[in-house]
Amino acid sequence: MGTATIALVAWLLAGVPEAGAPPAPGDAPGSFVAKTLSVRGETFQYSVYLPPGYRRGRAWPVILALHGAGSRGTDGLRPRKQSLAEAAQMHPERYPALLVLPQCPPERDWTGEVADFVLEALERTLVEYGGDRQQVYLAGQSMGAKGALQLAARSPDRFAAVLAVAGRHPDRPAVARLKALPLWLWHGDADTVAPVTESRSLVEQLKAAGSSSIRYTELSGLGHDIFDTVYLDEAVSTWLFSQRRSK
């Protein structure tokens, strides 16, 4: 059993807030809650966003959002500025969900121990804040798009749907593990950071593997920074929350 898992078990045994209770002091609806988690001796930062109207006693959808390279760090704050978090604050009626916002350390990506930390942070949030395990969604932008698909391929039974925006994508071995998941890929055809061929190739591979749940939207004339365009599109949140995992 890993260090992070042992710590999580101990935390659970200490007790979680009673169902139906109001949020703890500092856990105000419509706000970010700062969190830390240690994995094999390394401390990572993440935030949980509680939607307006949040109250214990119901099962809340959960979105795990992976940021791009520019938000890496150790302050725990930069992931709160990514486009999904800002869209959720601007349109809470479209995103009635808990957001899990991990921060990737400098010079790292969403693999290895960082991926272990992300999954532990998600699990802790599900338990602590009453997340609905049938409505756990994974979203990523830029570096986070590749990370989201890698994480989904690692744990495909954990997520109800995946949204990947303007990213480079995993190699062919991941395709077989992704083909049954509802996926929506977005890319600008003028992207000079992550070439649009990355998404086109993955879509072709998924279709060849038999995927019937892949969606792809290519935005003509737009470059890498399409994140606001995507998350502010009401069709995106409508599609996301219409997906549910079977029990």
Side-chain angles (χ1 to χ4, degrees):
M1 182 180 294
T3 303
T5 303
I6 293 171
L8 179 58
V9 170
W11 173 79
L12 292 174
L13 291 175
V16 296
E18 179 182 357
D27 290 4
S31 70
F32 296 95
V33 184
K35 301 285 185 178
T36 61
L37 184 61
S38 294
V39 178
R40 293 188 283 283
E42 183 175 3
T43 299
F44 297 90
Q45 309 289 329
Y46 71 103
S47 296
V48 177
Y49 177 72
L50 306 180
Y54 172 78
R55 188 173 181 84
R56 305 185 194 278
R58 58 161 282 192
W60 289 86
V62 178
I63 304 175
L64 173 60
L66 304 186
H67 62 72
S71 293
R72 289 182 291 193
T74 58
D75 62 358
L77 300 177
R78 293 180 185 178
R80 300 180 183 184
K81 298 297 184 180
Q82 62 184 295
S83 295
L84 175 56
E86 293 183 342
Q89 294 172 85
M90 188 180 300
H91 292 288
E93 74 285 356
R94 298 182 190 175
Y95 291 97
L98 301 164
L99 304 185
V100 184
L101 306 168
Q103 186 171 36
C104 184
E107 308 304 322
R108 307 274 284 279
D109 60 19
W110 300 107
T111 59
E113 290 183 352
V114 181
D116 294 342
F117 143 65
V118 168
L119 291 175
E120 291 286 358
L122 173 61
E123 179 62 25
R124 179 173 286 203
T125 302
L126 284 163
V127 175
E128 184 176 5
Y129 291 102
D132 184 345
R133 293 183 184 274
Q134 275 63 60
Q135 288 188 282
V136 178
Y137 307 105
L138 179 55
Q141 60 186 59
S142 193
M143 182 185 81
K146 181 176 182 179
L149 291 169
Q150 289 172 319
L151 207 61
R154 170 176 166 172
S155 302
D157 296 334
R158 192 181 286 258
F159 302 105
V162 181
L163 184 63
V165 184
R168 297 179 180 273
H169 299 306
D171 295 331
R172 187 177 295 274
V175 171
R177 297 179 61 80
L178 292 170
K179 66 179 183 179
L181 268 172
L183 304 173
W184 195 348
L185 274 61
W186 288 71
H187 222 119
D189 70 359
D191 193 334
T192 58
V193 177
V196 69
T197 51
E198 291 279 337
S199 288
R200 290 174 181 171
S201 176
L202 180 59
V203 170
E204 290 174 1
Q205 292 177 50
L206 286 165
K207 288 182 176 179
S211 173
S212 60
S213 54
I214 177 70
R215 297 185 63 170
Y216 177 50
T217 301
E218 190 169 296
L219 300 177
S220 178
L222 296 185
H224 190 61
D225 190 8
I226 61 171
F227 315 120
D228 288 343
T229 299
V230 174
Y231 294 121
L232 291 175
D233 188 331
E234 191 170 2
V236 170
S237 53
T238 299
W239 171 83
L240 198 66
F241 293 117
S242 69
Q243 313 300 321
R244 295 182 68 94
R245 281 185 56 236
S246 59
K247 296 183 178 181

